[in-house]
């Protein structure tokens, strides 16, 4: 649908697919992609969290294309990806001391830090805020691309806005083929949910978005009282939000998602009850379970793992798989909000049409 829309505007592109083996990186292909970025083009690339859609962060025209092709609201700021911590000083100012310990423990990796922005960051990148979000990814292809391009890379997830984040090049092709210059296919991403975003301009530090680095690990490094979860409730309209991205519906498959939380045996009964009700009405129902013992009857039942790492890795992929099977309804079991479970539940709640507690 989007490709057609863009072809109407006369901007359809030939998207080049560059296959790169993550264990033996072909530098020629990386350099080709880096040149596209330097020339103001868009390149999707793998990171350890999800695939990112990159543009030269210092070029407002290049960054504008990201918002256009994704259909991303302009008030939802982007994360800037860097390959060397020295870049921090160019992009941010008044950097607090505690950045050091965070970098030492979590970079490169799935931790994004929000700092006061420097004057070189174009307004469009951070939606006119006084702050900028920065991360150094650990994926070798991503690092190589950033370093070869020699510019900081603004990159949100490489999906159409509101759709589930892409964890493989195939997902990016489905959403953005014909709309961007190139896609680096470096296989499936490791973590499967986005980076953790923390705001260092507040005391204590605020967790704005749970992600690949857990709140517990941050507490361990920073001290228990030096970081707190954001009190911002995305359902409230008072959204002079610290992190505007938090207020949007996200990560959603086309089907309506029902999230069932509570005790495991009660979850099993409730999930089946909802599934049966919808099937009686003629809907196609898919169930996503994290408990192999749960016996469900539905059009499709998918067990996506029982440990948090495997669940995180599979969740967006399974949403997309169910979309391809034209499911009308997806019923998903909740997890405990501990460790990576906090990030998983954050994504599930945003994807859900209805949350049912049992
Ligand atoms: P995405 O890259 O699509 O996963 O989304 C980036 C996330 O980082 C969104 O939730 C943004 O709201 C958040 N973010 C980016 N820049 C800032 C900033 N300067 N201050 C607060 N949050 C930010
Ligand atoms: Mg995103």
């Amino acid at each position: 649908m989007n490709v057609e829309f863009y072809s109407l505007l006369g901007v359809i592109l030939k998207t080049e697919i560059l296959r790169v083996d993550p264990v033996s990186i072909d530098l020629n292909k990386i350099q080709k992609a880096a040149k596209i970025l330097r020339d103001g083009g868009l390149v999707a690339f793998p990171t350890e969290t999800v695939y990112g859609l990159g543009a030269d962060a210092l070029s407002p025209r290049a960054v504008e294309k990201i918002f256009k092709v994704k259909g991303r609201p302009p008030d939802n700021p982007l994360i800037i990806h860097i390959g060397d911590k020295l870049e921090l000083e160019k992009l941010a100012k008044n950097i607090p001391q505690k950045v050091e310990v965070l970098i030492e423990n979590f970079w490169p990796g799935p931790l994004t830090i929000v700092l006061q922005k420097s004057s070189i960051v174009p307004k469009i990148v951070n939606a006119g805020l006084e702050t900028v979000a920065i991360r150094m990814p650990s994926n070798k292809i991503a690092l190589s691309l950033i370093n070869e391009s020699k510019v900081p890379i603004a990159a949100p997830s490489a999906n159409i806005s509101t759709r589930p984040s892409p964890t493989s090049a195939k997902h990016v092709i489905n959403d953005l083929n014909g709309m961007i210059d190139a896609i680096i296919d470096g296989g499936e991403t490791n973590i499967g949910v986005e980076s953790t975003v923390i705001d260092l301009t507040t005391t204590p530090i605020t967790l704005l978005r749970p992600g690949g680095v857990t709140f517990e690990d941050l507490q361990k490094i920073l001290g228990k009282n030096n970081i707190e979860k954001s009190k911002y409730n995305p359902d409230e309209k008072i959204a002079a939000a610290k992190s505007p991205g938090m207020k949007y519906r996200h990560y959603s498959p086309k089907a309506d998602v029902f999230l069932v939380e509570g005790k495991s045996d009660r979850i099993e009964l409730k999930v089946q009850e909802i599934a049966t009700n919808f099937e009686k009405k003629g809907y196609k129902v898919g169930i996503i379970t994290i408990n192999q013992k749960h016996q469900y009857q539905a059009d499709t039942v998918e067990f996506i793992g029982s440990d948090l790492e495997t669940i995180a890795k599979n969740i967006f992929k399974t949403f997309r798989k169910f979309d391809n099977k034209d499911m009308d309804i997806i019923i998903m079991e909740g997890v405990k909000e501990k460790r990576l479970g906090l990030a998983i539940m954050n994504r599930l709640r945003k994807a859900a049409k209805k949350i049912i507690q049992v």
Side-chain angles (χ1 to χ4, degrees), residues 50 70 72 76 156-159 161 163 165 194 209 250-251:
V50 301
K70 276 182 65 87
R72 185 177 176 106
N76 190 0
S157 48
N159 53 287
S161 260
R163 301 264 301 131
S165 295
E194 298 83 349
R209 176 177 75 181
H250 259 114
Y251 319 119

Side-chain angles (χ1 to χ4, degrees), residues 7 13 19 29 33 60 74 87 135 143 151 153 158 179 187 193 204 220 237 243 277 302 321:
S7 75
L13 298 169
R19 282 201 180 77
K29 290 186 182 162
E87 292 284 306
R135 146 168 136 86
L143 275 179
V151 289
I153 305 295
M179 293 155 71
V193 290
K220 208 158 85 191
K237 283 263 154 62
S243 194
N277 279 341
E302 190 101 5
K321 196 163 156 186

Side-chain angles (χ1 to χ4, degrees), residues 70 72 76-79 114 126 129 131-133 155-157 194 197 208-209 242-246:
K70 276 182 65 87
R72 185 177 176 106
N76 190 0
L78 307 178
I79 295 169
V114 171
N126 61 339
L129 298 170
T131 52
V132 61
S157 48
E194 298 83 349
V197 182
L208 295 177
R209 176 177 75 181
K242 279 297 259 180
S243 194
M246 294 163 80

Side-chain angles (χ1 to χ4, degrees), residues 15-136:
T15 302
E16 186 157 8
I17 314 291
L18 300 162
R19 282 201 180 77
V20 175
D21 179 351
V23 277
S24 159
I25 296 176
D26 180 344
L27 209 54
N28 284 329
K29 290 186 182 162
I30 300 289
Q31 280 163 351
K32 193 170 193 183
K35 180 163 186 328
I36 295 174
L37 288 172
R38 267 199 311 278
D39 291 345
L42 299 186
V43 176
F45 59 97
T47 79
E48 67 277 23
T49 57
V50 301
Y51 271 71
L53 177 60
D56 175 357
L58 302 181
S59 160
R61 283 187 64 179
V63 173
E64 191 186 4
K65 290 187 202 163
I66 291 183
F67 285 92
K68 266 203 183 132
V69 301
K70 276 182 65 87
R72 185 177 176 106
D75 65 349
N76 190 0
L78 307 178
I79 295 169
I80 300 185
H81 293 66
I82 58 174
D84 186 321
K85 70 174 184 178
L86 292 177
E87 292 284 306
L88 261 184
E89 272 147 51
K90 297 184 195 150
L91 300 166
K93 62 176 187 192
N94 303 330
I95 302 173
Q97 192 71 49
K98 52 200 167 209
V99 161
E100 281 302 323
V101 68
L102 290 166
I103 290 179
E104 228 167 81
N105 283 278
F106 301 111
W107 274 13
L111 180 70
T112 297
I113 55 180
V114 171
L115 297 164
Q116 284 180 39
K117 82 175 203 82
S118 77
S119 56
I120 67 162
V121 180
K123 270 201 170 107
I124 186 167
V125 173
N126 61 339
L129 298 170
E130 286 308 311
T131 52
V132 61
I134 306 172
R135 146 168 136 86
M136 188 194 295

